[in-house]
């Protein structure tokens, strides 16, 4: 399955819409697209995951890495649009307690 990543920057915030599957094959593409923004100071990245049908531990690892990089640079990572399955994945691993996860899709990604 392919992964589609749509990036839209507005002011100092990056809105990301992802659709497809995030797994060992597509996770490097996701990291490559988001890492440069994560390294900017005070960057806010809002990621809409409503189009993601599947994510494995490799995908979780990408988000953990992004979260650490963004936090180190005084930024913020916001995840939204998680399906029940994805939400459970973040909660089971404890990431739901430390990451900013919104129940509704926000921002400028349509």
């Amino acid at each position: 399955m392919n992964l589609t990543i749509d990036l839209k920057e507005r002011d100092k915030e990056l809105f990301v819409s992802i659709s497809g599957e995030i797994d060992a094959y597509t996770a490097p593409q996701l990291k490559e697209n988001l890492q440069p923004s994560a390294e900017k100071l005070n960057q806010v990245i809002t990621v809409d995951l409503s189009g993601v049908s599947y994510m494995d531990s490799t995908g979780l690892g990408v988000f953990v890495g992004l979260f650490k990089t963004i936090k180190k640079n005084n930024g913020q990572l916001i995840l939204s649009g998680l399906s029940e399955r994805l939400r459970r994945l973040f909660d089971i691993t404890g990431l739901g307690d430390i990451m900013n996860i919104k129940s509704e899709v926000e921002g400028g990604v349509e």
Side-chain angles (χ1 to χ4, degrees):
M1 174 102 192
N2 289 333
L3 184 68
T4 303
I5 304 167
D6 182 32
L7 307 172
K8 291 186 175 130
E9 197 156 2
R10 199 172 336 153
D11 298 321
K12 291 205 171 213
E13 188 167 357
L14 179 67
F15 295 95
V16 183
S17 180
I18 302 172
S19 59
E21 296 181 358
I22 304 173
D23 57 21
Y25 299 105
T26 60
Q29 176 189 355
L30 179 62
K31 182 177 179 181
E32 181 180 306
N33 276 269
L34 298 182
Q35 192 66 34
S37 293
E39 293 173 357
K40 293 179 183 177
L41 287 178
N42 304 313
Q43 179 72 54
V44 176
I45 300 177
T46 301
V47 182
D48 173 11
L49 295 170
S50 60
V52 174
S53 57
Y54 173 81
M55 182 165 52
D56 67 9
S57 60
T58 313
L60 275 179
V62 169
F63 284 107
V64 168
L66 287 171
F67 177 76
K68 287 180 177 180
T69 301
I70 291 169
K71 190 172 180 180
K72 180 178 74 174
N73 291 307
N74 297 319
Q76 186 178 11
L77 176 64
I78 302 166
L79 303 178
S80 66
L82 279 72
S83 66
E84 282 295 317
R85 186 177 196 180
L86 287 183
R87 182 63 200 225
R88 213 169 29 252
L89 185 61
F90 278 86
D91 287 344
I92 288 171
T93 58
L95 295 172
D97 294 332
I98 61 170
M99 291 187 173
N100 187 350
I101 299 176
K102 305 279 186 190
S103 57
E104 299 290 320
V105 175
E106 297 178 359
V109 180
E110 290 139 20

